[in-house]
Amino acid sequence: MKVRIIIICVFMLSCLFFGFRSNFPKINAQKNEIEFPEIIVMGQQAMLGRITFNHAKHAIQGPGGLSPIACVYCHHVEQPLSEAAKNPLHKTVFPADRIITLTAETFKDINTPKVIGCRNCHIRKDATPTVLKEIPQISEGDKITVLTNHNAFHRRCAGCHDQVLKDNPASNAPKSTQCTSCHKKS
Ligand code: HEC
Ligand code: HEC
Ligand code: HEC
Ligand code: HEC
């Protein structure tokens, strides 16, 4: 009898443990949907400290009075090539034959390809991306930029923040030169 109770307890505890441990995105098995991650803690290996990125504020509510930012402004590979190529720097989409653009609405559609995180491609220098042969790079004039996580995120995030601060110096947007407005220790 006692043995059986212990076995049941161990089973229940392991369910709890593995249940809570699962990483985002959570897969909802019934609807085959991925949940939208509201807060994303980034830079786990950054010496300056981690960044707490409020994904929902940026993409759903709209940050600091701005309109919500279009999904593909950041997730640039989540659209058909004909759309992506409107920006001359963009030549890659994923998967290559996709026909649906990621939006807050199409995200819920079962036919929309699963969103693939930036860090599968824009990885730390010296590491190899999971879905590309090498870390992406772009050339502008004679300048070549290797888009590691460092360069890709700073480029995508900082431009807007600095513009917002220029228009409204009282904004909470983190200034690109003030590193610890994003990177926080502990
Ligand atoms: C198109 C504009 C825009 C882009 C792109 C953008 N942000 Fe922001 N961000 C803002 C604004 C505006 C605020 C100020 C929000 C407020 O006042 O509540 C902000 C605030 C923040 C803050 C301060 C805390 C908070 O949530 O208010 C952090 C951290 C941040 N952004 C990180 C990022 C990261 C990381 C990226 C890139 C993945 C990014 N942002 C891209 C406009 C932008
Ligand atoms: C301001 C930039 C920005 C915008 C706008 C944005 N996202 Fe994201 N999103 C991110 C970043 C950064 C991550 C984390 C990527 C990583 O971990 O590599 C992410 C992660 C995700 C993930 C998890 C992917 C994974 O498995 O790692 C999903 C799903 C997602 N976003 C959906 C959306 C949808 C839907 C929209 C539009 C409604 C949207 N995002 C708008 C920056 C953005
Ligand atoms: C499937 C791989 C892949 C994913 C996922 C991906 N990128 Fe990229 N990214 C690239 C490639 C490849 C380039 C070089 C241009 C091209 O080929 O389209 C690039 C270029 C860029 C650029 C430089 C061009 C520009 O618009 O200024 C930025 C910034 C960038 N990516 C940020 C991001 C962010 C932020 C995410 C996630 C929200 C992301 N990327 C997701 C592959 C990817
Ligand atoms: C808008 C927020 C923001 C600001 C401001 C910012 N960073 Fe970052 N930084 C990020 C994000 C997001 C990443 C990508 C983290 C990841 O890959 O998960 C990053 C990555 C990095 C990395 C690479 C970390 C690694 O993986 O090894 C370095 C180094 C870095 N930042 C230094 C700086 C310095 C120096 C400054 C100030 C000049 C600065 N950052 C300002 C958001 C920011």
Side-chain angles (χ1 to χ4, degrees):
M1 194 57 200
K2 260 193 194 150
V3 177
R4 223 191 267 168
I5 293 175
I6 291 172
I7 292 176
I8 291 174
C9 286
V10 168
F11 175 72
M12 283 167 70
L13 277 174
S14 54
C15 285
L16 271 178
F17 177 70
F18 287 109
F20 283 131
R21 218 183 52 134
S22 66
N23 293 330
F24 84 82
K26 292 187 206 127
I27 306 289
N28 180 331
Q30 269 146 13
K31 288 202 221 135
N32 191 22
E33 260 178 14
I34 304 171
E35 267 177 38
F36 179 88
E38 306 230 326
I39 307 275
I40 304 176
V41 180
M42 305 181 69
Q44 300 290 354
Q45 293 162 282
M47 300 248 283
L48 275 171
R50 291 181 295 190
I51 306 100
T52 303
F53 170 52
N54 193 329
H55 190 223
K57 189 201 258 186
H58 284 76
I60 308 291
Q61 286 107 39
L66 301 183
S67 310
I69 305 166
C71 308
V72 293
Y73 180 75
C74 296
H75 296 279
H76 63 93
V77 297
E78 308 288 341
Q79 55 188 331
L81 189 57
S82 56
E83 287 297 314
K86 287 181 183 162
N87 178 333
L89 286 174
H90 290 176
K91 299 177 174 63
T92 307
V93 299
F94 192 88
D97 60 352
R98 68 177 299 141
I99 50 171
I100 301 177
T101 298
L102 179 70
T103 65
E105 287 72 41
T106 62
F107 176 58
K108 298 178 200 128
D109 184 340
I110 199 162
N111 296 313
T112 306
K114 184 171 171 284
V115 177
I116 173 170
C118 325
R119 288 174 291 188
N120 290 288
C121 300
H122 301 288
I123 198 163
R124 303 177 82 223
K125 61 170 188 283
D126 306 332
T128 312
T130 54
V131 299
L132 300 174
K133 288 196 196 71
E134 50 187 20
I135 299 177
Q137 52 182 51
I138 45 169
S139 51
E140 295 163 289
D142 42 15
K143 184 168 155 254
I144 292 181
T145 307
V146 179
L147 295 159
T148 55
N149 61 338
H150 187 167
N151 288 336
F153 286 109
H154 287 177
R155 188 176 168 110
R156 183 48 73 247
C157 312
C160 176
H161 293 151
D162 288 349
Q163 186 58 49
V164 166
L165 284 165
K166 221 169 124 193
D167 298 342
N168 171 18
S171 164
N172 282 332
K175 195 173 179 181
S176 64
T177 50
Q178 215 177 306
C179 316
T180 53
S181 59
C182 282
H183 291 272
K184 307 229 189 267
K185 296 268 186 200
S186 92

